Amino acid sequence: MIKIAPSILSSDFSILAEEVASVKNADLLHVDIMDGHFVPNITIGPPVVRCLRPRTGLPMDVHLMIERPENYIRQFADAGADILTIHVEATTHLNRALNMVAESGVKVGVALNPATPLCFIEDVLDLVDMILIMTVNPGFGGQEFIKSSLDRIARARAMVERSGRNIDIEVDGGIANDTAPLVVKAGANVLVAGQAIFGADSPSKAVEDLRRALGPLGQEAVGVPRVRA
Ligand code: DX5
Ligand code: ZN
């Protein structure tokens, strides 16, 4: 089953609770945290995540685009995150940081920017529940999907299959009705979409449209090797 994760980055922050309530039919709520250092943009912090917690029944998928994420793991976990994803490029001590996420009682995600070699996560696969393959350079919504990501997704899926672990592969950036089937075919099973959902007149309809765009692929079981070993 493919999971859809609307990114609130493209929502109207002045009516955030309403925006979040409009995507009840999604599977996860993707929350982008930016610090103005790791990426050239600033968004929100733990207080807003805490306020959102009672406003959504969806698991909160918190994507930390911040330097030294280890300094904030506890705060975001306490604020109500269900998944905390940290970037390989943002910490010198990835193993320690991922262990800290696990110890805080939430699911563990690890993210890679488009130019970061996949081998950077090879030795931490035993620690993670989800790999986030960035399909744009992080920092902004509404950017164009980077096509070479498809090969990276396929290689990440092969890596996961070899590990024998049940690890989700999430994609983030430029996901819409045209790119969604491509990333799923390549091996992704969690699709983040900001502009395609919150930029639409009806976000809930946009979630359904995205599912429909996947056709039978949307029902595919996770963990089946699709492209190459
Ligand atoms: C970008 C963020 C994304 C962003 C995606 O750095 O991590 O989650 O909201 O936006 P779209 O789907 O509009 O490319
Ligand atoms: Zn994101």
Side-chain angles (χ1 to χ4, degrees):
M1 183 54 188
I2 305 303
K3 293 178 214 161
I4 309 279
S7 163
I8 61 167
L9 186 63
S10 288
S11 69
D12 180 345
F13 277 72
S14 70
I15 49 162
L16 200 45
E18 285 170 42
E19 294 279 61
V20 164
S22 73
V23 291
K24 286 194 184 87
N25 55 337
D27 303 291
L28 300 167
L29 188 72
H30 187 82
V31 182
D32 288 304
I33 310 296
M34 304 185 184
D35 66 352
H37 293 278
F38 182 67
V39 287
N41 199 0
I42 300 176
T43 56
I44 57 171
V48 180
V49 172
R50 189 180 296 280
C51 290
L52 280 177
R53 179 65 289 170
R55 301 298 192 133
T56 178
L58 300 178
M60 281 204 281
D61 170 29
V62 176
H63 177 192
L64 297 180
M65 285 162 277
I66 62 176
E67 279 177 11
R68 297 196 193 91
E70 53 273 21
N71 294 346
Y72 294 93
I73 288 165
R74 175 51 66 189
Q75 285 187 53
F76 281 105
D78 288 348
D82 295 280
I83 307 170
L84 274 178
T85 298
I86 61 178
H87 270 261
V88 168
E89 307 86 359
T91 177
T92 310
H93 301 289
L94 184 62
N95 179 294
R96 178 184 291 150
L98 293 172
N99 274 306
M100 284 175 70
V101 175
E103 282 156 17
S104 72
V106 304
K107 286 201 170 178
V108 184
V110 67
L112 296 121
N113 284 337
T116 304
L118 284 183
C119 62
F120 278 38
I121 57 168
E122 221 171 275
D123 295 325
V124 294
L125 287 187
D126 57 322
L127 302 177
V128 306
D129 301 297
M130 185 169 82
I131 297 168
L132 168 51
I133 305 284
M134 288 305 301
T135 44
V136 296
N137 289 295
F140 303 95
Q143 301 183 81
E144 195 181 335
F145 178 80
I146 298 174
K147 292 191 182 60
S148 55
S149 306
L150 291 173
D151 184 61
R152 284 166 64 73
I153 297 163
R155 283 185 285 125
R157 175 54 70 190
M159 201 188 254
V160 166
E161 296 305 326
R162 278 197 301 275
S163 79
R165 298 197 64 243
N166 183 17
I167 300 173
D168 285 324
I169 297 186
E170 181 175 63
V171 285
D172 186 2
I175 304 300
N177 294 348
D178 55 345
T179 48
L182 306 178
V183 293
V184 170
K185 237 178 251 162
N189 69 297
V190 183
L191 311 187
V192 176
Q195 199 54 37
I197 293 178
F198 286 110
D201 289 341
S202 163
S204 72
K205 183 173 174 297
V207 170
E208 286 322 311
D209 288 346
L210 203 48
R211 285 195 209 281
R212 204 165 308 120
L214 296 174
L217 282 172
Q219 304 309 316
E220 227 169 279
V222 175
V224 181
R226 295 171 179 82
V227 181
R228 59 185 159 114

